[in-house]
């Protein structure tokens, strides 16, 4: 990237503070996507331990069945739910669903594409992710 | 580089004062940008552009700023005001609700000097999507009527015809922050403006241009472009509707 481009770079891309909940959802979508990719790689390694036989498998299970392991798993559950629900919202938006219809704008120009339907979608994704995470914590750590 | 100055002559009794921080950077001499601070008196109706012009008039005429119409029509005075892309002539200091107003050049545009940025890339990408009507019968022959449209057909694109090419949408776009080849929300919204025009026959050629890895598929619907548009164009909506054409949901 040329120095005189004056681009914000990754720091500007991940800054969620200036443009409302849509930008927060954009950031969380990226973080959860990368997190799930990392988990996917870890999961392949985890399940490959079955090749070491029953003893090897149980050893590995004991190693990850810790408080830290359960916390990581509950975060994975939250990321998975958020990425799925928000992904459905974004895909619908990409298909032109719920982004409003073109019309002559009236001041103060509230953008129709940032409407309540999408905001509800974003908040729903966050709430569902939190509920799923709490359920996961309850199951893993016991009632 | 910081300095604080103020106008000593008498002002209106209703005037208040703010600290105006102006980003100073000359790529020919400076390694990095810095801020100069000025104590500026303002009234309820004073715009950020007027405050900058006050600085040029009373303190430092070398501050580089681009402006023209001063009424949010030409799109020349786009800049980052207190962290968000805005038109300086359309932003009143009293509405910012802050004792410190910081002005910086727009992000994602090369800086010419201080607050003035280069628009070459924006104009290049705008030109790339063929921003004009494409038809076989472009020239009207005598005794023929204009290209008639119904009010419903006009409604499909008129919002997007309000674009003033100020570049604020490109400055707010998170994809433009990292991808120097991205065509950008301004050009994509303009592509929709012409694709949705019932008089235009160039849809296929335009869709081919934006059907690129750095084209419409790099938009991830963050919506920041629409939030900063000073004319209510809503580029995010245009881009998603344009995707409808690309995916075959619209014809």
């Amino acid at each position: 990237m040329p120095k005189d481009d004056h681009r914000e770079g990754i720091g500007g891309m991940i800054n969620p503070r200036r443009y409302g909940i849509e930008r927060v959802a954009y950031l969380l979508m990226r973080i959860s996507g990368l997190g799930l990719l990392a988990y996917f790689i870890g999961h392949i390694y985890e399940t490959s331990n079955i090749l070491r036989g029953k003893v090897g498998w149980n050893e590995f299970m004991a190693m990850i069945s810790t408080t830290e392991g359960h916390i990581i798993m509950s975060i994975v559950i939250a990321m998975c739910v958020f990425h799925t629900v928000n992904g459905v919202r974004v895909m619908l938006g990409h298909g032109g669903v719920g982004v409003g219809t073109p019309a002559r704008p009236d001041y103060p120009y509230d953008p129709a594409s940032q409407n309540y339907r999408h905001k509800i979608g974003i908040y729903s994704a966050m709430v569902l992710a939190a509920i799923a995470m709490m359920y996961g914590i309850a199951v893993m750590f016991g009632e | 580089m910081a300095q604080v100055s103020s106008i000593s002559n008498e002002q209106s009794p209703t005037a208040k004062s703010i600290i105006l921080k102006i980003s100073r950077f000359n790529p020919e001499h400076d390694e990095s940008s810095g801020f100069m601070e000025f104590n500026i008196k303002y009234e309820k109706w004073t715009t950020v552009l007027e405050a900058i012009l006050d600085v040029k008039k009373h303190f430092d005429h070398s501050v580089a700023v681009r402006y023209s119409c001063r009424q949010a029509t030409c799109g020349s005075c786009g800049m980052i005001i207190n962290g968000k892309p805005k038109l300086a002539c359309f932003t009143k200091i009293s509405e910012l609700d802050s004792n410190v107003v910081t002005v910086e050049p727009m992000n994602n545009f090369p800086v010419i000097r201080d607050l003035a940025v280069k628009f070459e890339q924006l104009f290049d990408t705008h030109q790339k999507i063929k921003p004009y009507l494409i038809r076989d019968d472009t020239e009207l022959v005598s005794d023929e009527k204009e290209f008639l449209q119904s009010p419903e057909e006009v409604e499909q694109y008129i919002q997007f015809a309000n674009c003033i090419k100020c570049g604020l949408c490109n400055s707010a776009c998170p994809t433009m922050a990292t991808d120097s080849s991205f065509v950008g929300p301004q050009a994509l919204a303009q592509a929709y403006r012409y694709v949705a025009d019932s008089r235009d026959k160039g849809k296929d050629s335009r869709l081919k241009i934006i059907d690129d890895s750095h084209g419409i598929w790099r938009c991830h619907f963050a919506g920041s472009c629409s939030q900063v548009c000073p004319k209510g164009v809503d580029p995010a909506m245009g881009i998603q509707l344009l995707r409808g054409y690309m995916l075959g949901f619209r014809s």
Side-chain angles (χ1 to χ4, degrees), chain B residues 96-110:
Chain B
L96 291 170
D97 201 23
S98 170
N99 293 326
V100 180
V101 174
T102 307
V103 288
E104 300 162 86
M106 280 196 293
N107 295 316
N108 310 330
F109 288 85

Side-chain angles (χ1 to χ4, degrees), chain A residues 24-40 75-87 125 129:
Chain A
V24 176
Y26 171 88
L27 174 65
L28 291 177
M29 192 70 178
R30 255 129 210 87
I31 291 172
S32 60
L34 290 171
L36 290 172
L37 177 67
Y39 173 73
F40 178 65
I75 292 171
V76 167
I77 291 167
M79 288 194 299
C80 194
V81 172
F82 179 83
H83 203 80
T84 304
V85 178
N86 192 54

Side-chain angles (χ1 to χ4, degrees), chain B residues 58-73:
Chain B
H58 296 289
F59 305 125
D60 187 348
H61 68 275
S62 71
V63 171
V65 59
R66 182 193 278 123
Y67 68 98
S68 182
C69 75
R70 311 190 200 192
Q71 55 183 11
T73 302

Side-chain angles (χ1 to χ4, degrees), chain A residues 6-7 9 19 23 30 112-113, chain B residues 108 176-177 220 224 227 234:
Chain A
H6 190 53
R7 290 190 188 278
Y19 302 107
R23 194 68 173 254
R30 255 129 210 87
S113 63
Chain B
N108 310 330
M176 295 237 53
H220 300 295
S224 309
Q227 290 179 17
D234 203 346

Side-chain angles (χ1 to χ4, degrees), chain B residues 53-241:
Chain B
L53 294 179
D54 254 10
V55 168
K56 282 178 73 71
K57 188 176 175 185
H58 296 289
F59 305 125
D60 187 348
H61 68 275
S62 71
V63 171
V65 59
R66 182 193 278 123
Y67 68 98
S68 182
C69 75
R70 311 190 200 192
Q71 55 183 11
T73 302
C74 72
S76 299
C77 62
M79 60 186 71
I80 306 289
I81 300 172
N82 280 4
K84 284 184 81 171
K86 294 171 188 278
L87 290 181
C89 70
F90 196 51
T91 307
K92 292 193 190 80
I93 290 172
S94 54
E95 290 172 347
L96 291 170
D97 201 23
S98 170
N99 293 326
V100 180
V101 174
T102 307
V103 288
E104 300 162 86
M106 280 196 293
N107 295 316
N108 310 330
F109 288 85
V111 179
I112 297 171
R113 192 156 66 86
D114 301 342
L115 304 172
V117 295
K118 290 181 188 169
F119 273 83
E120 274 82 354
Q121 193 192 2
L122 182 135
F123 292 141
D124 285 348
T125 51
H126 181 68
Q127 197 173 23
K128 190 176 159 189
I129 55 98
K130 302 182 180 179
Y132 40 81
L133 294 182
I134 299 172
R135 315 175 49 102
D136 293 334
D137 55 345
T138 303
E139 294 298 324
L140 286 171
V141 293
S142 58
D143 75 0
E144 211 173 70
K145 289 180 179 173
E146 299 93 339
F147 303 127
L148 294 178
Q149 283 186 312
S150 68
E152 291 76 26
E153 287 172 331
V154 174
E155 289 286 313
Q156 289 299 311
Y157 72 85
I158 194 69
Q159 175 177 13
F160 300 92
N162 287 349
C163 177
I164 56 172
K165 289 90 185 167
C166 60
L168 296 185
C169 53
N170 282 11
S171 181
C173 175
T175 302
M176 295 237 53
T178 52
D179 185 355
S180 57
S181 304
F182 180 46
V183 71
Q186 188 277 333
L188 290 170
Q190 289 308 289
Y192 174 78
R193 180 254 174 272
Y194 287 96
V195 165
D197 192 325
S198 61
R199 300 166 296 179
D200 183 73
K201 305 294 177 198
K203 183 177 82 174
D204 293 341
S205 65
R206 281 197 196 86
L207 294 187
K208 200 174 285 181
I209 293 165
I210 59 172
D211 185 12
D212 181 82
S213 58
H214 295 284
I216 194 164
W217 308 113
R218 287 285 278 134
C219 167
H220 300 295
F221 195 18
S224 309
C225 51
S226 298
Q227 290 179 17
V228 300
C229 180
K231 306 304 282 185
V233 172
D234 203 346
M237 184 212 283
I239 296 168
Q240 311 320 316
L241 296 178

Side-chain angles (χ1 to χ4, degrees), chain B residues 12 14-15 42-48 50 89 91-94:
Chain B
S12 153
T14 57
Y42 74 98
E43 299 282 355
K44 197 168 71 176
W45 51 83
T46 306
T47 64
V48 173
E50 286 166 343
C89 70
T91 307
K92 292 193 190 80
I93 290 172
S94 54

Side-chain angles (χ1 to χ4, degrees), chain B residues 19-23 35-38 100-104 115:
Chain B
I19 301 291
L20 180 66
K21 291 176 72 176
I22 301 180
S23 172
F35 284 95
M36 286 184 85
E37 296 182 2
F38 302 92
V100 180
V101 174
T102 307
V103 288
E104 300 162 86
L115 304 172

Side-chain angles (χ1 to χ4, degrees), chain A residues 103-110:
Chain A
R104 289 172 199 271
D106 284 326
Y107 191 78
Y109 305 137
D110 287 329

